Amino acid sequence: MNEPVGVLNNMSAPPKSVVRYSGLSSLVQQLGPGGSGVTSLRYRNHEQHGRAIRFELPVDFGVDSPTDILQGLGLQHENDRDGSAARHLIQLINKRASELPLPEGCAVVKSLQSHPQLWPDPLAAIAALTKCTDTVWLRGKAPTLSNLAQRRNVSLLVPPDFLEQLKKAIS
Amino acid sequence: MNDVDAPDHSGWLEPLGLIGMQSIEAPLLAALVTEQPLLLIGPHGTAKSLLLGRVAAALGLSFRHYNASLLNFDDLVGFPVPTPDRTLEYLKTPAAIWGAGAVIFDEISRCRPDVQNKLFPIIHERKVQGLDIEGLRYRWAAMNPPTVGADEGDYAGSEPLDRALADRFAFVVQMPSWAAFTPSQKLAVIQAANRTYGPQDASVLSDSLYLARGLLQALQKTCSASAADYVFALLPLLAQAKLELSPRRANMLFSAILAVHASSLARQPDTAFGDSALLALRSSLPQRAEGIAIPEVKLLAAHREALRTVSLSPHDPLRAILATAEPLERLKLAVRATRLPKGEFSRVIADSLAQLPIGGREAAIVHLFETGTVGRLNAAVASQIGESYRDIATPADFSETIHASHGRYRTWSRLKDLLARLNPADPRAHLQANALAALFSRKALQTPEDAEGAFHAYSQTDALVRRT
């Protein structure tokens, strides 16, 4: 029995489509090199791993001394000659820090107005600011009150695994 | 002459006219007490042969001094002659090794490999041609520092000792340098008279030997556990510093520590165990004979870490952590040991991170932040790694203009190929991409191979830490 040939393949013709997996190479951009041989390289990734939370002190909140800070928190303390105001303040800061549903340590990231401020109370902001270094916030760190003179806001990056815990605490 | 510069007559070497060698007196005495093989390494003119010859003479030993570079094996064993019962017997010439109480192989690094092989059983088991050398107690050797590779040093003929032969010397002692001598010691050496020393000059040496032997017996009962703990902890720490010791060496080091401590106590009764352990360690490294540089800072760091474990309880998690050579395993153990004090935890993590390869370190840092473990670190260590994590976990944007002929351009091209393997839908892939980009921007990746290595190290480490 004779059957007609269904499809004729021209093996020498190039394929009509090329499938190429580029993965994350799209994060990389490159201009050139042109005739000069100079090339401009750029790496850009908009993804953020986790969620940044902003802490900010109210504009008019005084931070000149422990008594000032206590006063701003609505607590009276006459003077700090014996260091009792500072001790009291540190106790309050440690207590507030222990209540924040954050991991024990977080990265400090560039603070943006767009970051949500979940705890607007000044003591939470003080607990965040005084337990920070330039790069990390540590719940167990002894508070550094002088940090308050240098910055009034900070954003902490909460990793994805802790976001559920954060959601529960907020709701 | 001031007090600091005054000659020290309390040791046993100066009565033998051996000046400026206090720093090696305890390991030398330990070698005599234990009768274990001793190798001296030093430049020419540092009194290696003189030292060994005088000690042998002072102990009244019948000794043979062979120049290994000129040695003919027949010199050692004598001439074989057939016996009536059809066996061979060696004709004992005055130069043959038979009947010697001590043997010195000078210039051992200059002798031919086939001769080295024949010296091996003499040094290791006091045998030659399978026959016991009756009465041989001390086996000593001396050599110039070996020249390695293309290094055109002063001792082109001094070859690194075969690793197996070097490992047979229980004590490998470096001679003190002339620069370390005090002015009065230098003057004493310059003016030294050439006289003969013998048993009449050995009273201090004999007393020291007697005392050290007694102390060693006592220390074997009271100090063995500490020495064993120290060696157990030390081996992986040395391995991290690329100083691998064989199991045989571990046993030799254990014995050497006890013997050096006994020898030190014989002279200075308040000598701390740690000081003796360090001295024994420095005098027991076969790598010196192989021409391998000893990283002094790493050696000291390993010693300090190991010494700390001696005081730890058997159930202290730090004991297991310090005994683990692989940095990532150490990091994982520390993370699991939740009761580890903050200071200890921070130190283990900082050390482990420093030893991880580029890429692997970044994956481990991500793990520490993602699990909240970073909160257990002290502020100094946490701050240091916080910067890396911030570069990895937050939006990244950097640019650079380079010439296409530049090496960095090839690295960049390789990086782009590697990123193409990552899945854009996987958030963790973005962390890996950012980590590599951050390493590139910090110029931590110099070549395409660096980029490849960092990519794989990140993938492997990330998989390993997430499995726990």
Side-chain angles (χ1 to χ4, degrees), chain B residues 317-350:
Chain B
L318 197 57
R319 192 177 272 267
I321 292 166
L322 293 176
T324 306
E326 216 284 307
L328 187 62
E329 285 305 313
R330 225 165 41 249
L331 183 140
K332 284 159 63 183
L333 278 175
V335 168
R336 285 210 297 272
T338 51
R339 284 184 298 163
L340 211 57
K342 183 174 280 193
E344 298 287 8
F345 181 70
S346 302
R347 219 157 42 80
V348 172
I349 296 295

Side-chain angles (χ1 to χ4, degrees), chain B residues 330-452:
Chain B
R330 225 165 41 249
L331 183 140
K332 284 159 63 183
L333 278 175
V335 168
R336 285 210 297 272
T338 51
R339 284 184 298 163
L340 211 57
K342 183 174 280 193
E344 298 287 8
F345 181 70
S346 302
R347 219 157 42 80
V348 172
I349 296 295
D351 286 349
S352 303
L353 288 175
Q355 284 166 18
L356 282 171
I358 290 178
R361 187 181 310 151
E362 282 63 31
I365 288 172
V366 168
H367 177 70
L368 292 171
F369 273 90
E370 305 252 302
T371 55
T373 313
V374 66
R376 290 172 56 200
L377 293 170
N378 63 31
V381 177
S383 288
Q384 216 174 355
I385 67 171
E387 200 173 344
S388 293
Y389 181 68
R390 194 162 57 185
D391 287 346
I392 296 169
T394 56
D397 190 352
F398 82 87
S399 59
E400 185 176 326
T401 303
I402 51 174
H403 200 274
S405 63
H406 199 283
R408 273 176 73 70
Y409 180 73
R410 289 194 299 278
T411 309
W412 177 263
S413 300
R414 188 79 196 105
L415 198 68
K416 193 176 174 184
D417 293 343
L418 292 164
L419 297 188
R421 298 182 196 172
L422 299 172
N423 177 7
D426 178 4
R428 303 197 69 82
H430 286 264
L431 291 172
Q432 185 167 2
N434 285 357
L436 290 170
L439 286 168
F440 180 84
S441 76
R442 287 204 300 266
K443 297 188 168 49
L445 305 177
Q446 296 290 348
T447 64
E449 290 74 29
D450 287 349
E452 184 99 28

Side-chain angles (χ1 to χ4, degrees), chain B residues 214-343:
Chain B
L215 283 164
L216 180 57
Q217 281 186 350
L219 288 176
Q220 280 165 342
K221 290 174 190 150
T222 59
C223 213
S224 284
S226 299
D229 281 350
Y230 172 82
V231 176
F232 179 75
L234 184 74
L235 255 59
L237 294 165
L238 287 179
Q240 289 162 30
K242 308 270 182 286
L243 282 173
E244 303 269 358
L245 297 188
S246 68
R248 179 196 297 113
R249 178 60 57 178
N251 178 260
M252 280 178 173
L253 180 57
F254 165 76
S255 304
I257 289 167
L258 294 175
V260 169
H261 195 34
S263 303
S264 299
L265 290 172
R267 181 174 170 192
Q268 193 76 42
D270 59 352
T271 305
F273 170 80
D275 293 342
S276 298
L278 180 59
L279 189 53
L281 172 62
R282 284 195 170 124
S283 313
S284 298
L285 294 171
Q287 284 86 351
R288 290 194 201 282
E290 297 167 43
I292 297 169
I294 307 293
E296 186 60 28
V297 174
K298 289 181 177 174
L299 187 77
L300 203 56
H303 160 74
R304 287 187 181 145
E305 283 292 310
L307 197 60
R308 281 189 331 118
T309 65
V310 172
S311 57
L312 296 175
S313 90
H315 307 295
D316 195 311
L318 197 57
R319 192 177 272 267
I321 292 166
L322 293 176
T324 306
E326 216 284 307
L328 187 62
E329 285 305 313
R330 225 165 41 249
L331 183 140
K332 284 159 63 183
L333 278 175
V335 168
R336 285 210 297 272
T338 51
R339 284 184 298 163
L340 211 57
K342 183 174 280 193

Side-chain angles (χ1 to χ4, degrees), chain A residues 21-25 27-30 33 36-49 103-109 133-136 138 140 157 159-162, chain B residues 342 369-372 374-375 377 379 382-383 386-387 389-390 393-404 409 412 416 419-420 422-424 427 429-431 433-434 437:
Chain A
Y21 181 73
S22 62
L24 277 176
S25 62
L27 299 176
V28 172
Q29 294 160 12
Q30 188 174 326
S36 64
V38 173
T39 181
S40 177
L41 314 173
R42 185 167 193 182
Y43 177 87
R44 224 172 173 180
N45 191 354
H46 297 296
E47 293 285 319
Q48 178 166 274
H49 202 66
E104 294 300 303
C106 293
V108 171
V109 295
T133 69
D134 286 343
T135 60
V136 285
L138 299 168
L157 184 64
D161 288 355
F162 291 89
Chain B
K342 183 174 280 193
F369 273 90
E370 305 252 302
T371 55
V374 66
L377 293 170
S383 288
E387 200 173 344
Y389 181 68
R390 194 162 57 185
T394 56
D397 190 352
F398 82 87
S399 59
E400 185 176 326
T401 303
I402 51 174
H403 200 274
Y409 180 73
W412 177 263
K416 193 176 174 184
L419 297 188
L422 299 172
N423 177 7
H430 286 264
L431 291 172
N434 285 357

Side-chain angles (χ1 to χ4, degrees), chain B residues 15 22 24 26 42 49 56 79 93 110 116 119 124 131 162 191 210 214 224 233 290 293 345 364 369 380 388 408 428:
Chain B
Q22 288 87 346
I24 59 168
S49 311
F79 296 101
T93 64
R110 294 175 190 273
Q116 272 191 27
L119 299 183
H124 180 46
L131 302 172
D162 175 79
Q191 297 174 88
Y210 177 78
S224 284
E290 297 167 43
F345 181 70
F369 273 90
S388 293
R408 273 176 73 70
R428 303 197 69 82

